[in-house]
Amino acid sequence: METIAGKNIIIGVTGGIAAYKTLILARLFINNEAILKVVMTKAAESFIGPLSFQAISGSKIGLDILDPVFDSGMDHIELARDADLIIIAPATANTIAKIAHGFSDNLLTSIILASTSPVMICPAMNNNMWANQATIDNINILKKRGVHVCGPAYGELACSDSGAGRMEEPEFIFEDSLRLLSENDFSDTRFLISAGPTQEPIDPVRYITNRSSGKMGYELARAARIRGAEVTLVSGPTNLPGPVGVEMINIRTAKEMSDAIKKKFTDCDICIMAAAVGDYRSQKQSEQKIKKDMDVLNINFEKNPDILLGLGKQKGDKFLVGFAAETQDLIKNATKKLFKKNLNMIVANDVSRTDAGFQTNTNQVHILTEKTAIKLPLMSKFRAAHGILNSIKAMRNE
Ligand code: C5P
């Protein structure tokens, strides 16, 4: 799923101080062209005015189950039927308890009871309330019923305590919700993805690396996770935050990447090596900082293991994808690697372009297999990631 445009989202706001952050969550859905309805409990109105949500969502806010204006256009049954996803953010201990036990004493709890839509709750409360056995039991009831629980995060709380109880940040909640809105065509599939550059140390303060930003591999991990997969991302040093819901393994050198990948390879169904693994490492690493005494400094480099080549030899029925970053003879060189490394697919991109390849947010890729060659147009790396996943899916279904 590349877009949530046209999806029907209901955000339920209950009475917690984090309610102000829900405005940002609402804006994220609107900016992504979802159709948003906001429902507030009485307690929520003590923290934030309905007008704020009305301004952002562009439609009247549902406040009362007996509200004649709101109910005239869409009663709670109709609202519940139309939703692709209902998110309660913040979800107080009180509302969590109510929905766990089937109460329907306000518009929000009535919608939840009447709905068969996916529900996501974002708890926000004092850490002791969160740790209370009553809340734990209620959360377990909801989880068993298929409700998705996002958070809470650990940190400073409004009541000046600190602990588990903070509502997750709006960007995190938004990202997490995408999985619930997607078709989940990769559920029960385990991905192992590598991303970013590697760093090969020369001395304690210097290293050799390359210009890879890691963006393509991170977007692949993100897209696979949104489509329902279980994803492990082995990443070299990048400036990117780990994608929501993805298991991160951070490494530095090619050797460390090789060790991490080997450990995880047996458990995966699909492995995508999008990392720009350093081909060479310094033969010796000086224990002390190298002084600038010499006019010419010679460093000998030795070859790193080719991780993907090794995986190709032991791949069995796993689906193996490589990347080929080339500056010349793109298709010819990539095709050579497809066969040499015994891959199911290779994604080729021309890294001499300024709008594709390293460090850009866009990419123009060729997806090559033994039998097919697809050229995707220039697009965001997220869309390119979906294109690659679509090709993998098509080939695995053959
Ligand atoms: O470096 P090369 O162009 O051969 O990279 C092609 C593919 O091989 C990429 O998918 C890259 O992640 C992988 N590779 C690797 N180990 C290396 C070098 C490259 O797994 N030492």
Side-chain angles (χ1 to χ4, degrees), residues 194 254 257 272-280 304-309 311 321-326 337 340-341 343 346:
S194 72
M257 179 167 279
I272 309 179
M273 282 291 295
V277 186
D279 290 329
Y280 292 91
N304 270 328
D306 190 319
I307 306 166
L308 191 53
L309 187 74
L311 299 180
V321 183
F323 266 70
E326 304 288 343
K337 282 177 196 171
K340 183 181 166 206
K341 302 196 186 197
L343 309 177
I346 194 150

Side-chain angles (χ1 to χ4, degrees), residues 124-164:
M125 65 194 75
N126 165 274
N127 54 332
N128 290 330
M129 291 170 89
W130 176 250
N132 191 293
Q133 195 57 47
T135 307
I136 294 170
D137 291 346
N138 289 334
I139 288 287
N140 285 337
I141 289 173
L142 293 178
K143 278 186 180 165
K144 254 191 226 143
R145 221 178 270 161
V147 169
H148 180 71
V149 180
C150 174
Y154 190 93
E156 200 181 305
L157 301 167
C159 45
S160 79
D161 276 344
S162 96

Side-chain angles (χ1 to χ4, degrees), residues 195-213:
T198 55
Q199 283 181 0
E200 306 298 337
I202 293 168
D203 72 12
V205 296
R206 302 182 179 95
Y207 54 80
I208 179 166
T209 188
N210 58 60
R211 289 179 50 229
S212 168
S213 63

Side-chain angles (χ1 to χ4, degrees), residues 20-89:
Y20 76 95
K21 291 197 209 166
T22 308
L23 283 175
I24 301 167
L25 180 64
R27 162 132 276 160
L28 286 169
F29 281 108
I30 291 295
N31 286 352
N32 283 276
E33 296 170 45
I35 301 161
L36 180 65
K37 295 276 177 280
V38 179
V39 174
M40 296 175 75
T41 62
K42 262 252 134 350
E45 283 185 74
S46 311
F47 290 92
I48 192 150
L51 259 184
S52 306
F53 281 108
Q54 192 164 314
I56 283 180
S57 69
S59 62
K60 179 142 174 51
I61 306 305
L63 298 171
D64 194 328
I65 196 159
L66 301 173
D67 180 340
V69 182
F70 189 75
D71 250 10
S72 63
M74 42 188 172
D75 62 35
H76 63 273
I77 302 289
E78 195 179 323
L79 256 179
R81 199 177 38 230
D82 287 349
D84 291 299
L85 178 64
I86 305 175
I87 303 177
I88 308 183

Side-chain angles (χ1 to χ4, degrees), residues 40 73 107 109 177 195 209 237 287 334 345 370:
M40 296 175 75
L107 181 57
T109 49
S177 75
T209 188
E287 276 192 18
M345 179 179 286
E370 199 185 333

